[in-house]
Amino acid sequence: MKKIAVMTSGGDAPGMNAGIRAVTRTALQKGLEVVGIYRGYQGMIEGDFIPLDRFRVSNIIQRGGTFLKTARSEEFRTVEGRAKAAAHLKKEGIEALVVIGGDGSFRGAAALHAEHGIQVVGCPGTIDNDLYGTDYTIGYDTAVNTAVQAIDQIRDTADSHNRLFFVEVMGRDAGFIALRTGLASGAESVLVPETTTYIDELITKLEEGRKLKKASAIIIVAEGDDEGGALDIAKKVNEKFDAWETKVTVLGHIQRGGSPTAFDRILASRMGNSAVEALLKGSTNVMIGQRNNEMVEVPFTQASKHHETLNPHLLELVEILS
Ligand SMILES: Nc1ncnc2c1ncn2[C@@H]1O[C@H](COP(=O)(O)OP(=O)(O)O)[C@@H](O)[C@H]1O
Ligand SMILES: O=P(O)(O)OC[C@H]1O[C@](O)(COP(=O)(O)O)[C@@H](O)[C@@H]1O
Ligand SMILES: [Mg+2]
């Protein structure tokens, strides 16, 4: 193997730049040439490539987003689109690829391997933490820290006015961001898609809080919750409970940006490094995961099929401590 490519795909996540840097510098150190692919699979289809040297990845470890840009490409979902993409890779002499992205990106990589024999290894890059086989994905820790900081600020104003806040966090159909954010911000309750949400139970809890003369209440709602988003849930609660004035905040894309935490930079650096080592020893169709602080290889088929379960003890802890 002489030349590899690296790309970012799907939703951006803080730490992706640190991952690109780690892939590039590890590969160069092993005597490989490295090419960056702009705009995910769409850039691959269009042959939008840039040679990477050690200086091209200087001064990016601390930057959010991804300097290679990212995209969601409908064309890559087609056999024809993938054939165009593979033709560009072959013309450039690229034999192997590191994809930093989520479950969808790994499905795309698996198709590229099946149809065109390109060797593919993935690094989990998504704020949602919704991949099986890794304790953490790149960007998750930063997103949680961003959300916690925002909720600390909401708590100041909620307390001053004695209000009830519903704060919606991202996570698509997973509740990881919501759970960790709720624990760290001392939320009264966390509503996640993985467990059934009972509006009546929530109201009982809020009433108990009123009786205890709590100054405010903050409920964290995962965007994919089974009872709907924060606005829907606030409405349902308000139909039966209006003792507190109620406000809704949707944190949205601020959770995706910002400088990555030290945790995410280190995770991305280790994963990028392991991805190149995996390619060199001939692995393909695997994601690099972190398990008990060790780097491991997880087949794409497992990684993208489902995600880890939420820790029920942590869900319980939110209730115990609130
Ligand atoms: N089943 C699939 N076959 C081929 N390509 C896919 C498939 N699923 C996703 N992709 C490609 O991967 C891209 C990123 O996937 P997406 O689900 O949007 O984000 P993520 O990788 O963060 O989960 C898609 O826009 C598409 O180009
Ligand atoms: O930026 P978009 O296209 O609105 O997508 C929003 C979605 O992307 C995410 O921020 C990240 O998801 P992916 O990493 O799977 O792309 C989700 O939490 C959210 O549901
Ligand atoms: Mg995804």
Side-chain angles (χ1 to χ4, degrees), residues 54-186:
R54 59 172 296 109
F55 298 110
R56 191 63 197 78
V57 294
S58 297
N59 202 10
I60 61 168
I61 194 170
Q62 77 281 26
R63 282 173 44 202
T66 158
F67 91 92
L68 285 178
K69 317 273 182 188
T70 186
R72 303 195 207 269
S73 167
E74 280 313 307
E75 198 180 349
F76 195 78
R77 290 176 186 274
T78 65
V79 173
E80 299 75 30
R82 292 193 290 273
K84 271 195 224 167
H88 283 295
L89 295 180
K90 296 209 164 134
K91 201 173 104 211
E92 281 287 324
I94 297 165
E95 295 157 79
L97 173 71
V98 177
V99 182
I100 308 174
D103 52 343
S105 301
F106 299 160
R107 278 188 209 105
L112 190 67
H113 175 78
E115 292 160 17
H116 302 283
I118 308 287
Q119 204 187 330
V120 286
V121 169
C123 293
T126 168
I127 63 165
D128 297 343
N129 207 41
D130 60 348
L131 288 161
Y132 182 82
T134 189
D135 296 336
Y136 298 100
T137 59
I138 298 165
Y140 169 55
D141 183 65
T142 307
V144 168
N145 276 282
T146 303
V148 168
Q149 198 184 355
I151 291 161
D152 288 348
Q153 290 170 211
I154 289 172
R155 182 67 84 174
D156 288 343
T157 173
D159 239 44
S160 304
H161 283 267
N162 299 125
R163 280 172 171 165
L164 164 62
F165 269 80
F166 289 88
V167 182
E168 183 178 305
V169 297
M170 279 186 167
R172 209 182 283 275
D173 52 6
F176 294 97
I177 296 178
L179 174 56
R180 228 171 160 73
T181 298
L183 255 182
S185 58

